[in-house]
Amino acid sequence: MPTKEQSEDREAVNEVRLQGRLAQDPQLRELPSGDRLWTFRVVVGRPPRPAQADGRGPRGTVDAIECAVWDARVRRSVERWHAGDVVAVEGAVRRRFFRSGAGTASRVEIEVRSGRRLRRAPGA
């Protein structure tokens, strides 16, 4: 019979799939440890909300989601992507801690395990 922890592990899933437009060209970063990674931001539209009772109209907004790529195979693909490209990525949500000028900080990002360009930016 599975333990409570094993049952909870099967119920917990950290899988993300995004499809959206690159806000800018991906950036290659080298960390103080010497590790290299590509970072980029995927812009994903939200569906419009219905009008509110207080008269506020529907708003079509977007989410800009930070992504990081550590895997060498995926990094080779990402280095050919450009701002405005439509991409699809899959991975997991990670909270990363780091030191900054203001002390310890953190950010939530998608750690990309796979990705592909679906459509080039217009005029590219």
Side-chain angles (χ1 to χ4, degrees):
M1 174 166 226
T3 68
K4 181 180 177 188
E5 289 175 356
Q6 289 170 331
S7 295
E8 288 174 0
D9 285 345
R10 282 189 294 223
E11 293 172 5
V13 176
N14 185 353
E15 295 178 0
V16 175
R17 187 177 59 127
L18 296 174
Q19 183 173 316
R21 179 182 50 81
L22 288 183
Q24 61 190 35
D25 287 351
Q27 303 294 310
L28 180 61
R29 295 186 53 212
E30 186 164 337
L31 302 178
S33 65
D35 290 333
R36 296 169 55 134
L37 73 150
W38 282 95
T39 61
F40 55 91
R41 185 175 300 127
V42 177
V43 178
V44 180
R46 291 184 187 174
R49 297 185 316 209
Q52 304 293 312
D54 64 4
R56 292 185 300 157
R59 285 189 259 174
T61 59
V62 299
D63 288 305
I65 301 162
E66 301 291 329
C67 298
V69 178
W70 298 88
D71 180 82
R73 182 184 53 80
V74 182
R75 285 193 323 237
R76 285 190 295 276
S77 293
V78 169
E79 68 184 330
R80 295 187 303 271
W81 296 357
H82 297 286
D85 287 351
V86 175
V87 299
V89 298
E90 294 182 10
V93 176
R94 299 284 187 244
R95 184 166 186 178
R96 186 169 56 85
F97 294 88
F98 56 95
R99 296 195 191 284
S100 71
T104 301
S106 72
R107 80 179 328 156
V108 174
E109 62 191 12
I110 306 305
E111 185 177 299
V112 177
R113 286 190 301 261
S114 67
R116 61 190 169 107
R117 180 173 38 206
L118 300 175
R119 189 171 60 244
R120 289 186 185 273

